[in-house]
Amino acid sequence: MECPKCGGGAYLSDEELIKVLENTDPIKIMFRAIFSCRACAEKFSRIFYDDLGARKKPPEVKPYPYQGQEYEPVRPTAAKTEDEAAEGLKFF
């Protein structure tokens, strides 16, 4: 966004909800975006419309359990003896 006064670059400093338009499909919102100029520090605003349907998050997909199945916890196995544990640590 460019500053209308000096033409310098601007950044978004604040947003303000003005109105929710419920009569539309999908529901839209009207909001005011307030920008600040990096060069002259002047503030200016613009009004935007946005679809709320586009902002919805998709439903979360749970990796566990698989759909329709119950999760069974992993049971610990019997402890290994010291010799068996040392066997896995041998170096070549």
Side-chain angles (χ1 to χ4, degrees), residues 25-84:
D25 186 39
I27 297 174
K28 293 184 178 185
I29 58 171
M30 182 186 340
F31 64 96
R32 176 181 293 133
I34 302 170
F35 296 92
S36 295
C37 178
R38 294 180 194 271
C40 67
E42 189 73 24
K43 289 191 175 190
F44 60 97
S45 63
R46 298 288 182 262
I47 294 178
F48 294 101
Y49 291 93
D50 198 9
D51 291 339
L52 284 182
R55 291 184 177 232
K56 283 186 179 177
K57 292 182 180 178
E60 286 188 27
V61 178
K62 296 181 181 179
Y64 300 106
Y66 293 108
Q67 300 202 1
Q69 297 178 352
E70 291 188 24
Y71 176 73
E72 292 184 24
V74 177
R75 302 193 194 303
T77 58
K80 295 181 180 179
T81 64
E82 287 183 24
D83 293 335
E84 290 175 344

Side-chain angles (χ1 to χ4, degrees), residues 11-22:
Y11 63 92
L12 180 66
S13 64
D14 196 13
E15 289 181 331
E16 177 184 341
L17 178 65
I18 296 174
K19 191 174 190 178
V20 177
L21 304 172
E22 297 177 357

